[in-house]
Amino acid sequence: MTYVEAHGTATPLGDPIEVTALTRAFSAGTQKKNFCAVGSVKSNIGHASAAAGVAGVIKTTLALKHKLLPPSLHFGRPNPNIDFANSPFYVNTRLSDWKSTGVPRRAGVSAFGIGGTNAHVVIEEAPAVEASGSSRPWPLLLLSAKTGTALETATTPLAEYL
């Protein structure tokens, strides 16, 4: 895992507790330092309240899709109670390429909204999809309707426009 979308309470007490817990979990499998970016959607859109979990999942999914690590905006200096230097984490402060290490990119999302959508998941990038062959010279234009009359109502103006 090379990115964690954290809850990021932005409080003097909450963030050190969260990073300490993440450090304990990550350090159980490696002694490497500063290899995993950490961020929070709060720096991008503010406190999302009940939508915090789903906002973190959306942000992380888009980051995987575009292979870019999103920046933590307005980050100046870390909370003095967080020992980033001796942890697996660093705060990513600018949009940067999300480099692959030969395995699929993976991210953890841990975000909680009071009374809303909470998320604690691991998301992995989708595998590359090979083209199935040459495509048609013209793309299909699909229309859908509940009835034949409704289909005709949609089709006639489109045909006239085209």
PDB file of all heavy atoms in Angstrom, residues 97-123:
ATOM      1  N   ASP A  97       2.970  12.077  -9.680  1.00  0.00           N
ATOM      2  CA  ASP A  97       2.731  10.769 -10.283  1.00  0.00           C
ATOM      3  C   ASP A  97       2.716   9.713  -9.191  1.00  0.00           C
ATOM      4  O   ASP A  97       3.558   9.733  -8.286  1.00  0.00           O
ATOM      5  CB  ASP A  97       3.821  10.427 -11.294  1.00  0.00           C
ATOM      6  CG  ASP A  97       3.737  11.283 -12.545  1.00  0.00           C
ATOM      7  OD1 ASP A  97       2.616  11.711 -12.901  1.00  0.00           O
ATOM      8  OD2 ASP A  97       4.789  11.518 -13.170  1.00  0.00           O
ATOM      9  N   TRP A  98       1.781   8.796  -9.297  1.00  0.00           N
ATOM     10  CA  TRP A  98       1.710   7.675  -8.367  1.00  0.00           C
ATOM     11  C   TRP A  98       2.454   6.531  -9.025  1.00  0.00           C
ATOM     12  O   TRP A  98       1.933   5.811  -9.856  1.00  0.00           O
ATOM     13  CB  TRP A  98       0.267   7.320  -8.102  1.00  0.00           C
ATOM     14  CG  TRP A  98       0.043   6.357  -6.976  1.00  0.00           C
ATOM     15  CD1 TRP A  98       0.954   5.541  -6.374  1.00  0.00           C
ATOM     16  CD2 TRP A  98      -1.200   6.138  -6.317  1.00  0.00           C
ATOM     17  NE1 TRP A  98       0.367   4.820  -5.382  1.00  0.00           N
ATOM     18  CE2 TRP A  98      -0.972   5.158  -5.319  1.00  0.00           C
ATOM     19  CE3 TRP A  98      -2.474   6.641  -6.461  1.00  0.00           C
ATOM     20  CZ2 TRP A  98      -1.975   4.692  -4.491  1.00  0.00           C
ATOM     21  CZ3 TRP A  98      -3.478   6.176  -5.635  1.00  0.00           C
ATOM     22  CH2 TRP A  98      -3.224   5.215  -4.655  1.00  0.00           C
ATOM     23  N   LYS A  99       3.702   6.412  -8.683  1.00  0.00           N
ATOM     24  CA  LYS A  99       4.571   5.434  -9.321  1.00  0.00           C
ATOM     25  C   LYS A  99       4.193   4.017  -8.911  1.00  0.00           C
ATOM     26  O   LYS A  99       3.809   3.759  -7.783  1.00  0.00           O
ATOM     27  CB  LYS A  99       6.019   5.721  -8.965  1.00  0.00           C
ATOM     28  CG  LYS A  99       6.449   7.134  -9.368  1.00  0.00           C
ATOM     29  CD  LYS A  99       7.921   7.255  -9.571  1.00  0.00           C
ATOM     30  CE  LYS A  99       8.410   8.634  -9.853  1.00  0.00           C
ATOM     31  NZ  LYS A  99       7.652   9.495 -10.669  1.00  0.00           N
ATOM     32  N   SER A 100       4.340   3.108  -9.853  1.00  0.00           N
ATOM     33  CA  SER A 100       4.074   1.700  -9.584  1.00  0.00           C
ATOM     34  C   SER A 100       5.367   1.046  -9.120  1.00  0.00           C
ATOM     35  O   SER A 100       6.446   1.366  -9.598  1.00  0.00           O
ATOM     36  CB  SER A 100       3.567   1.010 -10.847  1.00  0.00           C
ATOM     37  OG  SER A 100       3.430  -0.370 -10.613  1.00  0.00           O
ATOM     38  N   THR A 101       5.252   0.113  -8.213  1.00  0.00           N
ATOM     39  CA  THR A 101       6.423  -0.617  -7.723  1.00  0.00           C
ATOM     40  C   THR A 101       6.449  -2.031  -8.277  1.00  0.00           C
ATOM     41  O   THR A 101       7.052  -2.918  -7.692  1.00  0.00           O
ATOM     42  CB  THR A 101       6.425  -0.655  -6.183  1.00  0.00           C
ATOM     43  OG1 THR A 101       5.216  -1.304  -5.749  1.00  0.00           O
ATOM     44  CG2 THR A 101       6.517   0.732  -5.587  1.00  0.00           C
ATOM     45  N   GLY A 102       5.772  -2.246  -9.409  1.00  0.00           N
ATOM     46  CA  GLY A 102       5.729  -3.573  -9.996  1.00  0.00           C
ATOM     47  C   GLY A 102       4.533  -4.393  -9.547  1.00  0.00           C
ATOM     48  O   GLY A 102       4.303  -5.491 -10.039  1.00  0.00           O
ATOM     49  N   VAL A 103       3.788  -3.887  -8.604  1.00  0.00           N
ATOM     50  CA  VAL A 103       2.549  -4.525  -8.154  1.00  0.00           C
ATOM     51  C   VAL A 103       1.427  -3.494  -8.332  1.00  0.00           C
ATOM     52  O   VAL A 103       1.700  -2.298  -8.460  1.00  0.00           O
ATOM     53  CB  VAL A 103       2.640  -4.977  -6.674  1.00  0.00           C
ATOM     54  CG1 VAL A 103       3.700  -6.044  -6.490  1.00  0.00           C
ATOM     55  CG2 VAL A 103       2.909  -3.813  -5.757  1.00  0.00           C
ATOM     56  N   PRO A 104       0.186  -3.937  -8.343  1.00  0.00           N
ATOM     57  CA  PRO A 104      -0.895  -2.962  -8.488  1.00  0.00           C
ATOM     58  C   PRO A 104      -0.852  -1.904  -7.384  1.00  0.00           C
ATOM     59  O   PRO A 104      -0.494  -2.185  -6.235  1.00  0.00           O
ATOM     60  CB  PRO A 104      -2.156  -3.822  -8.363  1.00  0.00           C
ATOM     61  CG  PRO A 104      -1.726  -5.202  -8.724  1.00  0.00           C
ATOM     62  CD  PRO A 104      -0.306  -5.305  -8.260  1.00  0.00           C
ATOM     63  N   ARG A 105      -1.194  -0.680  -7.755  1.00  0.00           N
ATOM     64  CA  ARG A 105      -1.284   0.392  -6.760  1.00  0.00           C
ATOM     65  C   ARG A 105      -2.422   0.065  -5.806  1.00  0.00           C
ATOM     66  O   ARG A 105      -3.489  -0.351  -6.235  1.00  0.00           O
ATOM     67  CB  ARG A 105      -1.538   1.731  -7.457  1.00  0.00           C
ATOM     68  CG  ARG A 105      -0.370   2.221  -8.281  1.00  0.00           C
ATOM     69  CD  ARG A 105      -0.806   3.400  -9.167  1.00  0.00           C
ATOM     70  NE  ARG A 105       0.250   3.803 -10.057  1.00  0.00           N
ATOM     71  CZ  ARG A 105       0.502   3.246 -11.244  1.00  0.00           C
ATOM     72  NH1 ARG A 105      -0.240   2.246 -11.674  1.00  0.00           N
ATOM     73  NH2 ARG A 105       1.494   3.676 -11.984  1.00  0.00           N
ATOM     74  N   ARG A 106      -2.174   0.286  -4.519  1.00  0.00           N
ATOM     75  CA  ARG A 106      -3.192   0.025  -3.495  1.00  0.00           C
ATOM     76  C   ARG A 106      -3.249   1.199  -2.536  1.00  0.00           C
ATOM     77  O   ARG A 106      -2.227   1.822  -2.240  1.00  0.00           O
ATOM     78  CB  ARG A 106      -2.858  -1.236  -2.713  1.00  0.00           C
ATOM     79  CG  ARG A 106      -2.986  -2.491  -3.520  1.00  0.00           C
ATOM     80  CD  ARG A 106      -2.749  -3.735  -2.667  1.00  0.00           C
ATOM     81  NE  ARG A 106      -2.701  -4.902  -3.514  1.00  0.00           N
ATOM     82  CZ  ARG A 106      -1.584  -5.487  -3.926  1.00  0.00           C
ATOM     83  NH1 ARG A 106      -0.414  -5.027  -3.535  1.00  0.00           N
ATOM     84  NH2 ARG A 106      -1.644  -6.543  -4.708  1.00  0.00           N
ATOM     85  N   ALA A 107      -4.452   1.431  -2.048  1.00  0.00           N
ATOM     86  CA  ALA A 107      -4.651   2.521  -1.094  1.00  0.00           C
ATOM     87  C   ALA A 107      -5.611   2.072   0.000  1.00  0.00           C
ATOM     88  O   ALA A 107      -6.511   1.269  -0.239  1.00  0.00           O
ATOM     89  CB  ALA A 107      -5.221   3.747  -1.806  1.00  0.00           C
ATOM     90  N   GLY A 108      -5.403   2.616   1.169  1.00  0.00           N
ATOM     91  CA  GLY A 108      -6.343   2.410   2.256  1.00  0.00           C
ATOM     92  C   GLY A 108      -7.172   3.664   2.431  1.00  0.00           C
ATOM     93  O   GLY A 108      -6.681   4.771   2.246  1.00  0.00           O
ATOM     94  N   VAL A 109      -8.429   3.482   2.762  1.00  0.00           N
ATOM     95  CA  VAL A 109      -9.313   4.615   3.050  1.00  0.00           C
ATOM     96  C   VAL A 109      -9.889   4.386   4.432  1.00  0.00           C
ATOM     97  O   VAL A 109     -10.472   3.346   4.712  1.00  0.00           O
ATOM     98  CB  VAL A 109     -10.461   4.741   2.023  1.00  0.00           C
ATOM     99  CG1 VAL A 109     -11.363   5.915   2.373  1.00  0.00           C
ATOM    100  CG2 VAL A 109      -9.917   4.892   0.617  1.00  0.00           C
ATOM    101  N   SER A 110      -9.695   5.364   5.286  1.00  0.00           N
ATOM    102  CA  SER A 110     -10.221   5.282   6.641  1.00  0.00           C
ATOM    103  C   SER A 110     -10.821   6.639   6.975  1.00  0.00           C
ATOM    104  O   SER A 110     -10.118   7.556   7.369  1.00  0.00           O
ATOM    105  CB  SER A 110      -9.087   4.934   7.616  1.00  0.00           C
ATOM    106  OG  SER A 110      -9.597   4.795   8.917  1.00  0.00           O
ATOM    107  N   ALA A 111     -12.109   6.771   6.741  1.00  0.00           N
ATOM    108  CA  ALA A 111     -12.758   8.062   6.950  1.00  0.00           C
ATOM    109  C   ALA A 111     -14.124   7.836   7.564  1.00  0.00           C
ATOM    110  O   ALA A 111     -14.841   6.917   7.185  1.00  0.00           O
ATOM    111  CB  ALA A 111     -12.876   8.818   5.623  1.00  0.00           C
ATOM    112  N   PHE A 112     -14.460   8.687   8.469  1.00  0.00           N
ATOM    113  CA  PHE A 112     -15.691   8.504   9.232  1.00  0.00           C
ATOM    114  C   PHE A 112     -16.475   9.802   9.309  1.00  0.00           C
ATOM    115  O   PHE A 112     -15.931  10.844   9.609  1.00  0.00           O
ATOM    116  CB  PHE A 112     -15.353   8.023  10.650  1.00  0.00           C
ATOM    117  CG  PHE A 112     -14.414   6.858  10.639  1.00  0.00           C
ATOM    118  CD1 PHE A 112     -13.057   7.040  10.818  1.00  0.00           C
ATOM    119  CD2 PHE A 112     -14.886   5.580  10.397  1.00  0.00           C
ATOM    120  CE1 PHE A 112     -12.180   5.974  10.783  1.00  0.00           C
ATOM    121  CE2 PHE A 112     -14.011   4.508  10.360  1.00  0.00           C
ATOM    122  CZ  PHE A 112     -12.658   4.697  10.548  1.00  0.00           C
ATOM    123  N   GLY A 113     -17.752   9.707   9.029  1.00  0.00           N
ATOM    124  CA  GLY A 113     -18.642  10.856   9.163  1.00  0.00           C
ATOM    125  C   GLY A 113     -19.658  10.543  10.236  1.00  0.00           C
ATOM    126  O   GLY A 113     -20.279   9.484  10.227  1.00  0.00           O
ATOM    127  N   ILE A 114     -19.837  11.443  11.147  1.00  0.00           N
ATOM    128  CA  ILE A 114     -20.772  11.210  12.239  1.00  0.00           C
ATOM    129  C   ILE A 114     -22.175  11.043  11.662  1.00  0.00           C
ATOM    130  O   ILE A 114     -22.691  11.929  10.991  1.00  0.00           O
ATOM    131  CB  ILE A 114     -20.739  12.376  13.255  1.00  0.00           C
ATOM    132  CG1 ILE A 114     -19.330  12.559  13.806  1.00  0.00           C
ATOM    133  CG2 ILE A 114     -21.751  12.169  14.367  1.00  0.00           C
ATOM    134  CD1 ILE A 114     -18.765  11.359  14.518  1.00  0.00           C
ATOM    135  N   GLY A 115     -22.766   9.877  11.895  1.00  0.00           N
ATOM    136  CA  GLY A 115     -24.115   9.604  11.429  1.00  0.00           C
ATOM    137  C   GLY A 115     -24.225   9.461   9.927  1.00  0.00           C
ATOM    138  O   GLY A 115     -25.304   9.547   9.365  1.00  0.00           O
ATOM    139  N   GLY A 116     -23.107   9.204   9.247  1.00  0.00           N
ATOM    140  CA  GLY A 116     -23.162   9.136   7.790  1.00  0.00           C
ATOM    141  C   GLY A 116     -22.472   7.910   7.247  1.00  0.00           C
ATOM    142  O   GLY A 116     -22.481   6.846   7.857  1.00  0.00           O
ATOM    143  N   THR A 117     -21.851   8.079   6.114  1.00  0.00           N
ATOM    144  CA  THR A 117     -21.189   6.993   5.423  1.00  0.00           C
ATOM    145  C   THR A 117     -19.750   6.884   5.908  1.00  0.00           C
ATOM    146  O   THR A 117     -18.969   7.803   5.702  1.00  0.00           O
ATOM    147  CB  THR A 117     -21.197   7.249   3.903  1.00  0.00           C
ATOM    148  OG1 THR A 117     -22.537   7.502   3.498  1.00  0.00           O
ATOM    149  CG2 THR A 117     -20.654   6.062   3.152  1.00  0.00           C
ATOM    150  N   ASN A 118     -19.426   5.789   6.563  1.00  0.00           N
ATOM    151  CA  ASN A 118     -18.068   5.557   7.031  1.00  0.00           C
ATOM    152  C   ASN A 118     -17.362   4.618   6.063  1.00  0.00           C
ATOM    153  O   ASN A 118     -18.005   3.821   5.390  1.00  0.00           O
ATOM    154  CB  ASN A 118     -18.079   4.945   8.433  1.00  0.00           C
ATOM    155  CG  ASN A 118     -18.738   5.874   9.432  1.00  0.00           C
ATOM    156  OD1 ASN A 118     -18.658   7.080   9.306  1.00  0.00           O
ATOM    157  ND2 ASN A 118     -19.399   5.304  10.423  1.00  0.00           N
ATOM    158  N   ALA A 119     -16.051   4.723   5.991  1.00  0.00           N
ATOM    159  CA  ALA A 119     -15.295   3.853   5.097  1.00  0.00           C
ATOM    160  C   ALA A 119     -14.019   3.397   5.775  1.00  0.00           C
ATOM    161  O   ALA A 119     -13.330   4.179   6.408  1.00  0.00           O
ATOM    162  CB  ALA A 119     -14.950   4.594   3.809  1.00  0.00           C
ATOM    163  N   HIS A 120     -13.741   2.124   5.680  1.00  0.00           N
ATOM    164  CA  HIS A 120     -12.467   1.559   6.101  1.00  0.00           C
ATOM    165  C   HIS A 120     -12.203   0.408   5.138  1.00  0.00           C
ATOM    166  O   HIS A 120     -12.641  -0.719   5.360  1.00  0.00           O
ATOM    167  CB  HIS A 120     -12.509   1.090   7.548  1.00  0.00           C
ATOM    168  CG  HIS A 120     -11.160   0.723   8.054  1.00  0.00           C
ATOM    169  ND1 HIS A 120     -10.216   1.661   8.396  1.00  0.00           N
ATOM    170  CD2 HIS A 120     -10.583  -0.481   8.241  1.00  0.00           C
ATOM    171  CE1 HIS A 120      -9.109   1.049   8.788  1.00  0.00           C
ATOM    172  NE2 HIS A 120      -9.320  -0.248   8.695  1.00  0.00           N
ATOM    173  N   VAL A 121     -11.548   0.735   4.026  1.00  0.00           N
ATOM    174  CA  VAL A 121     -11.382  -0.230   2.943  1.00  0.00           C
ATOM    175  C   VAL A 121      -9.989  -0.133   2.342  1.00  0.00           C
ATOM    176  O   VAL A 121      -9.294   0.871   2.498  1.00  0.00           O
ATOM    177  CB  VAL A 121     -12.414  -0.011   1.815  1.00  0.00           C
ATOM    178  CG1 VAL A 121     -13.831  -0.252   2.291  1.00  0.00           C
ATOM    179  CG2 VAL A 121     -12.296   1.367   1.211  1.00  0.00           C
ATOM    180  N   VAL A 122      -9.613  -1.186   1.630  1.00  0.00           N
ATOM    181  CA  VAL A 122      -8.416  -1.183   0.802  1.00  0.00           C
ATOM    182  C   VAL A 122      -8.903  -1.248  -0.642  1.00  0.00           C
ATOM    183  O   VAL A 122      -9.733  -2.089  -0.989  1.00  0.00           O
ATOM    184  CB  VAL A 122      -7.492  -2.373   1.111  1.00  0.00           C
ATOM    185  CG1 VAL A 122      -6.337  -2.428   0.122  1.00  0.00           C
ATOM    186  CG2 VAL A 122      -6.975  -2.270   2.540  1.00  0.00           C
ATOM    187  N   ILE A 123      -8.396  -0.338  -1.468  1.00  0.00           N
ATOM    188  CA  ILE A 123      -8.795  -0.269  -2.871  1.00  0.00           C
ATOM    189  C   ILE A 123      -7.552  -0.522  -3.720  1.00  0.00           C
ATOM    190  O   ILE A 123      -6.499   0.052  -3.469  1.00  0.00           O
ATOM    191  CB  ILE A 123      -9.396   1.110  -3.216  1.00  0.00           C
ATOM    192  CG1 ILE A 123     -10.589   1.416  -2.313  1.00  0.00           C
ATOM    193  CG2 ILE A 123      -9.817   1.162  -4.680  1.00  0.00           C
ATOM    194  CD1 ILE A 123     -11.134   2.824  -2.485  1.00  0.00           C
TER     195      ILE A 123
END
